[in-house]
Every structure is written in C-alpha cells, then in structure tokens.
Amino acid sequence: MADTVLDDRSAVGPIRRNAHLFRHLAGARIRSDLQYRASLALFTVGTLVITGLDFVAIAVLFVQVPALAGWSLAEVAFLYGTAGVSFGLADMAVGSIEKVSERIRRGTFDILLLRPAGTLLQVVTDEFALRRIGKVLQPAAVLVYAVLRLDLGWSVRTVTLTVVMVVAGAFIAGALWVVTASATFWTVEGREAANAVTYGGSALTQYPLPLYGEVVRSLAFVIPIAFVSYLPSLEVLGKVDPLGVPVALRYASPLIAVASVAVATMTWRFAVRHYRSTGS
Amino acid sequence: MRVWWELARRTFRRYSTYRAATLGGLIPNVMFGYLRAYVLLAVVVQAGAVGGFDGRDVVTYSFATQALIVPIAIFSAGGSSIDLAERIRTGDVVVDLYRPIDFQAYWLAQDLGRAAQGFVTRGLASFVSGFLVFSLVVPTSVSGAAAAAVVLVLAVLVSFGFRYLVALGSFWLLDDRGLTLIGGVLAMFLSGFLVPVTFFPDWLQTVAAASPFPAMVQLPVEVFLGHHGPAGVARVVATQLGWFALLVVAGRRLGASAMRKVVVQGG
C-alpha cells in the first residue's frame, strides 16, 4: 500500500491526517460554493456593506469626541481591524460549529459519530462557507484604513507583532467558538449563551479595554480575549496601559493561543464523550 | 373587537412557551446592554453631554434599547417576527386569506401579542439588569410613566407597519432574506438602536428623520428618559401616529395588489 498521509502512524500522523482531510472537505464545499459564483459575489458584497455599517457606528461616535479612553479613531480602527480579522478567520474556519446544537436537536449529530473522521473536523467542514470571507474582508479594509491613517514608523518588529497578533488571535477566537459550542451539548439555552460569548466577545474587542468596568475587564482576561487585540496592540502602537498589566503579557498571545486550543479540544472531546454515554 | 383581543392573547401565550429562547436571549441582551453602556458612557465622559444626553441618560439608553429588541423586532424586520413571509413561501398564506377577518389586522393583533410577551419577560428583565451596576433613569411621575407606555405601544405599531410591508415583499420576491436583511440593517442604524440619533452628524440626523425608524426607538426612549415636556410628547406621538398611518395605508395598498396577483395566478 502506498504510504499516504492517511496511513501515517507517527505522532504527527493525526495532525497531518486532519489537516489533509480539512483541505479536502473544505475544498469540496468551496468548489460547490463557487458553482453559484454570482450568488457568492452578491452575498459577499452584501455582507461587506452590512458589516461596514458596524464600523460606521463606531466612527460616528468619533464625530463627537477626538479620542475614546485615550485612543484615536485610527487606533481604535487598528484594534477593530486586527480583532475583526482574527474573529473573521476563526468564523470562516470553525464558525459552522454553531450549527451543532441544531444537529443535536434534529438528531443528526449521531451519524457523525459513526464516521471515521473526528467529529470536530466533520462539524467544521460540514457547513464551511467561503462566503464568510466577507467577515474577514471588512475588518481587513478597516485595518488598511488604520494603517494608512496611523503615523507609525513600521519596523520589522511591529509588522511581525501585528501578524503574530492576528494569527494567534484567530486561534483564540476559534477556540472560543469550539468551547462555547461544546456548551450547547448540555443546555438548550446554551446556544444563545454561546452566541453571547462569541459575538459579545468580538464586540468587546472593538474598543480599548480600559473603557469597560471591572467585571467586563476581568472577563476579558479569563475568556481570554484581551490577548486577541488589545494587549498586543499596546506594543505595536506604543501606547501606555492605564490598567498596569505586566508588559510581558503583551507578548503572551501565542502561548495563550496554544493553551486555548488545548482547552477547546479537551472540552469538545469531553462534551462528545458525555453526549455518547448518555445515549441521547 | 373580541377577535383581536383573542388573537393577541393566544399569540402571547404561544410565545410564552418558548421559555428557553427567552431565557437564552436574555444573556446577550444583558451583555450588550453593558458593553454599549460603557462605550456610550466613555463618549459622554469625554465630550460632556451630547445632544442632551448625559451619563445616566446614555447608560439607560443602552439598556432601554436592549429591552426593545424583542417588541420592536429590530433584528428581524419582516423575518421571523411575522410568520407571514414564511407562510407566503410555503403557500400556507392561502388559508389566512380565506379567513373572514381583515388580513392586515390579523397580523397586527398577533404581533401585539408577541411584542407584549417579549417586553414583559425579556424586555423588563434585561432593562432591570442594568441596575446591578448603574443607576438608570426611570420616569418619576405617573404622567411620565403613562407617556412612556403610550409611545412604547405606538413604537411597536410603527415597527409592525414597516415589517408588514417587508413581509409582503415575499409575494413578489419569494425569498425574503435579502429584503429582511436590508430592512433590518436600515432599521438598526437609523432608529438609533446602535447609536443614539442625536449623536449622528447633522446631515445623517436629517436622513433618519425622513424615515419611520427613529419613531420606533429613538423617540420613545427620549420620552422614557423624560427629555420631552407635554408639547414634546405630543409631537412624538403625532410623529408615530403619522408614520403608522402611512405604513398602514401602504400596507393595505400593497396587500391588495398582492392579493390580486395571487388570484390572477390562480393560486
């Protein structure tokens, strides 16, 4: 038998396998989406316009004030853009996991347990939608605007920090999606709560953290969306942090990302095992 | 008269059974109530009162608008709040058309029941949650409370008028998603739900004022906050009634042509 990715029994075998499968399954969805090219284009444009209004709502506030919690519009745009791209990428990759509660309700989740691929992989590729790229494009556009408006001397250091921030942030956001989706295995209200955390978390990252009260701020460290954009942005933009967070934490997002993914995978496995054993 | 009351009452009860959705929906209400309160507060702290809104006003505004989400059905302009579009798509609407009661009033009665249930449960609860941290503004006099109640009901009526029109679009478009989305977005933005209309630049305020949307959110909340004296309240009520009348007439005209179309197609 040919030594294919699927036969790889080494330690990285599962990772290679899953990555391989993800590419194929998602690719199949993308190819099918592209069949309806016009619809895809229309939807993307529509999403762009609608999510564009999201930023307009923020920009409108700056008509009244020159800065919010010491952050100018361009700086807030940077925050919004980087966090937005992170959440957008996560949404594209694993966002379809929101549908899992629907599957459970309909009873079609069980069939996934019978297939040879991991349930998590199946769920995220099942409704993979290229059209969600609108959710990445819009914040990316805002980010471009921010970069142009900001008068930063971009160095290798700041560019690297930004790229790392967005990538790590995407993993943290993705982990958040998986963990909250896992909660839907237990409660019917779980889905609304899950949406509150993911979309609320995303909304939270649009503004600088010091803006919020204590409870919200502490939540942002536990969840841990403060690491998605705010903390690393302090470094890139060279801002003073009124919260007095240790400077080292500004570089912590890659570590937090790894930890988040670990927690997410464990939570998902636990949820599925529990679901199986209750025989629902 | 009895028919409308019964319709509303039964719809109220029907929506009461969706307990999980109500409870679950409360969580994002509270969360966004707090998030937006802090943001608007930051603006006022920085700029001083804006458009007559001080710190307590904007914070109350945030929770009040969250409370209005279900009654005004901000997120589902024409969508899930009125089953009409769905029933047009599936063809079940024919059954409704056969009923010996006024089509538009039939949907209005149901919507009032739905709005009442949502307000009394999710609406009040999400508003009250604001008191955990903030000191919210509430009407302090009987007349103030009465005025607030009146403009709230009118706001639901105006919102229904708009959503009914959007739902009727399904008679032609069959797929209501695009229209619902656009309607919803316009409503969210121009009604002052995302940001108070008084925060808008002047030109945008003019645009909003030319639409029925502020009558659904901005104006009623202003009355609730006590920003209007008797003359001001009268003006708000007149504005709301005016838009409602316009939308009802438009709804009836559009409904009539929809029915002609259905009959002509032999459906």
Side-chain angles (χ1 to χ4, degrees):
Chain A
M1 248 231 154
D3 180 25
T4 64
V5 174
L6 298 167
D7 288 333
D8 187 340
R9 287 185 214 282
S10 71
V12 295
I15 300 177
R16 280 187 72 200
R17 217 170 14 249
N18 281 326
H20 178 84
L21 282 171
F22 186 89
R23 259 191 11 252
H24 272 258
L25 293 171
R29 291 289 311 194
I30 294 176
R31 271 194 300 281
S32 100
D33 270 348
L34 285 176
Q35 300 286 343
Y36 305 98
R37 225 162 303 197
S39 164
L40 176 65
L42 221 73
F43 198 92
T44 309
V45 169
T47 315
L48 273 174
V49 168
I50 284 154
T51 48
L53 277 179
D54 189 31
F55 185 68
V56 170
I58 300 178
V60 163
L61 294 176
F62 278 89
V63 165
Q64 305 292 337
V65 290
L68 274 180
W71 288 58
S72 69
L73 177 58
E75 289 170 334
V76 169
F78 182 81
L79 202 63
Y80 177 97
T82 49
V85 172
S86 291
F87 273 89
L89 288 172
D91 195 344
M92 236 179 42
V94 302
S96 44
I97 205 171
E98 282 172 6
K99 303 273 172 60
V100 90
S101 63
E102 193 60 27
R103 273 190 166 266
I104 294 171
R105 208 171 53 84
R106 296 224 195 110
T108 56
F109 183 79
D110 296 43
I111 203 170
L112 300 181
L113 292 166
L114 295 173
R115 294 188 186 145
T119 48
L120 185 53
L121 184 71
Q122 288 187 68
V123 166
V124 301
T125 54
D126 190 38
E127 305 258 355
F128 185 84
L130 188 63
R131 62 174 186 271
R132 286 207 215 107
I133 201 164
K135 293 203 178 158
V136 177
L137 291 180
Q138 183 260 349
V142 173
L143 184 56
V144 167
Y145 160 79
V147 166
L148 293 174
R149 266 286 292 266
L150 286 168
D151 216 359
L152 290 179
W154 290 94
S155 64
V156 173
R157 179 172 165 272
T158 48
V159 171
T160 319
L161 274 175
T162 309
V163 172
V164 169
M165 159 169 53
V166 171
V167 172
F171 278 100
I172 298 175
L176 195 61
W177 243 289
V178 174
V179 171
T180 53
S182 306
T184 62
F185 277 98
W186 282 288
T187 59
V188 183
E189 297 87 350
R191 220 196 79 221
E192 290 280 1
N195 284 345
V197 177
T198 47
Y199 292 106
S202 162
L204 210 161
T205 53
Q206 291 172 358
Y207 294 95
L209 215 54
L211 205 99
Y212 301 110
E214 248 191 83
V215 175
V216 177
R217 281 204 308 264
S218 327
L219 267 176
F221 275 93
V222 167
I223 289 201
I225 43 189
F227 294 93
V228 169
S229 183
Y230 176 71
L231 286 175
S233 294
L234 288 172
E235 263 319 288
V236 176
L237 300 173
K239 291 193 75 69
V240 172
D241 171 26
L243 298 176
V245 175
V247 178
L249 284 182
R250 300 186 190 178
Y251 297 93
S253 54
L255 267 173
I256 301 285
V258 169
S260 305
V261 171
V263 169
T265 332
M266 286 193 304
T267 314
W268 176 264
R269 290 227 187 96
F270 176 76
V272 174
R273 239 196 335 263
H274 179 266
Y275 173 79
R276 257 174 157 152
S277 65
T278 55
S280 32
Chain B
M1 202 57 215
R2 184 69 199 275
V3 177
W4 311 129
W5 171 254
E6 279 300 317
L7 267 172
R9 199 169 67 92
R10 275 149 209 271
T11 315
F12 185 106
R13 268 207 288 188
R14 179 158 54 99
Y15 276 87
S16 299
T17 62
Y18 304 141
R19 219 161 289 141
T22 304
L23 218 65
L26 198 57
I27 300 172
N29 277 163
V30 173
M31 175 157 224
F32 281 101
Y34 274 97
L35 288 185
R36 290 179 54 241
Y38 283 121
V39 171
L40 292 174
L41 191 59
V43 174
V44 169
V45 161
Q46 179 86 26
V50 177
F53 280 69
D54 68 10
R56 282 185 76 208
D57 285 334
V58 289
V59 166
T60 310
Y61 191 90
S62 179
F63 287 99
T65 48
Q66 288 295 312
L68 287 177
I69 286 180
V70 172
I72 307 294
I74 284 276
F75 288 116
S76 43
S80 52
S81 63
I82 307 184
D83 300 326
L84 175 55
E86 178 70 30
R87 291 177 74 80
I88 292 173
R89 224 194 349 262
T90 58
D92 289 342
V93 71
V94 175
V95 175
D96 300 329
L97 287 167
Y98 272 123
R99 294 206 176 100
I101 49 182
D102 185 82
F103 194 64
Q104 190 182 40
Y106 170 71
W107 290 105
L108 175 57
Q110 290 187 78
D111 196 58
L112 284 174
R114 178 203 62 83
Q117 194 275 338
F119 176 74
V120 163
T121 52
R122 246 174 88 174
L124 283 180
S126 46
F127 182 77
V128 164
S129 75
F131 281 104
L132 285 173
V133 173
F134 299 105
S135 143
L136 302 180
V137 174
V138 284
T140 47
S141 64
V142 173
S143 56
V150 167
V151 295
L152 172 63
V153 173
L154 285 174
V156 174
L157 290 179
V158 174
S159 160
F160 167 80
F162 177 73
R163 284 180 283 121
Y164 181 73
L165 277 175
V166 174
L168 280 181
S170 293
F171 271 114
W172 287 270
L173 296 176
L174 288 180
D175 177 33
D176 70 327
R177 270 176 309 177
L179 213 56
T180 306
L181 205 58
I182 296 173
V185 167
L186 277 177
M188 273 207 299
F189 197 72
L190 293 178
S191 65
F193 175 77
L194 291 177
V195 172
V197 175
T198 42
F199 279 49
F200 289 178
D202 292 325
W203 64 269
L204 198 55
Q205 288 198 38
T206 319
V207 171
S211 76
F213 304 117
M216 301 180 200
V217 177
Q218 174 77 22
L219 296 179
V221 177
E222 279 180 7
V223 171
F224 180 79
L225 290 172
H227 282 191
H228 293 279
V233 172
R235 252 182 293 123
V236 168
V237 169
T239 311
Q240 291 180 303
L241 281 172
W243 279 111
F244 179 57
L246 203 77
L247 290 167
V248 161
V249 169
R252 297 187 86 74
R253 290 254 177 87
L254 203 66
S257 78
M259 256 151 261
R260 269 197 303 276
K261 175 179 180 288
V262 166
V263 169
V264 164
Q265 299 217 325

